[in-house]
Amino acid sequence: RPDSPAVVAPFGDVSHALPAGARVHSVAADSGRLYIHLETAEGPPVILVLDGATGAKIGEVGFAPAR
């Protein structure tokens, strides 16, 4: 049925290490990916990108001050 939500198989428990002092600011999902916005204790924010189906880390987007 077009109005039925997609069934996703569970992927179990997945852990990802956060930088010391970091905290999760927000989480968003789009196109099968999870975007975890991390506020870091000593530095610019980081976006952690995870595969929504497996929980595997796809990549990380870091931000640096302008020079």
Side-chain angles (χ1 to χ4, degrees):
R1 293 175 44 184
D3 59 345
S4 298
V7 176
V8 177
F11 53 77
D13 297 332
V14 177
S15 294
H16 295 282
L18 297 180
R23 69 177 187 86
V24 175
H25 181 270
S26 63
V27 178
D30 187 39
S31 300
R33 293 183 177 180
L34 298 173
Y35 300 93
I36 316 298
H37 175 185
L38 302 176
E39 292 290 340
T40 59
E42 296 184 27
V46 172
I47 305 294
L48 181 61
V49 183
L50 306 178
D51 183 296
T54 66
K57 181 178 175 181
I58 294 172
E60 202 172 278
V61 179
F63 299 89
R67 296 182 197 186

